[in-house]
Amino acid sequence: MIQFLDPRAEPGASPEPYTLSADLAGSPTIGLLANGFPDSEAFLDRVEEVLAELLPAAQCKRFNKGNASSLASDQLLDGIAKECKVVVTAWGH
């Protein structure tokens, strides 16, 4: 006899609403941080296109930590914090 199992599990944690926000009035700089996996930069290309439509006064600045297996350096994070109002990070696959 063959028994088929549904691989979808019930969620282990309750969803929590995202409550962080930032005032993006004026012409904020938005950091886009790729994690070094393949396609992370390509994904952020599309994010940048959408942000340009939604926030035409905003400017995007690109960052890449370069190696998916390592943490972002303090120097990189400090630079992002100094230059950007907010940051979007992405990883590829």
Side-chain angles (χ1 to χ4, degrees):
M1 169 187 251
I2 297 175
Q3 180 181 10
F4 293 97
L5 302 174
D6 186 345
R8 296 172 292 182
E10 290 297 319
S14 300
E16 294 181 30
Y18 188 85
T19 59
L20 295 177
S21 64
D23 180 6
L24 298 178
S27 55
T29 299
I30 300 172
L32 301 175
L33 174 61
N35 75 342
F37 272 114
D39 294 329
S40 58
E41 288 183 315
F43 177 75
L44 288 173
D45 289 342
R46 181 66 180 127
V47 169
E48 186 171 0
E49 290 172 14
V50 173
L51 287 172
E53 292 173 17
L54 296 173
L55 301 165
Q59 302 202 3
C60 291
K61 180 156 176 104
R62 302 296 286 265
F63 301 91
N64 189 330
K65 68 180 192 112
N67 183 343
S69 65
S70 65
L71 298 174
S73 69
D74 288 341
Q75 181 180 1
L76 175 61
L77 296 176
D78 289 345
I80 292 170
K82 286 179 187 172
E83 296 182 51
C84 303
K85 179 92 172 187
V86 297
V87 65
V88 176
T89 187
W91 55 93
H93 52 285

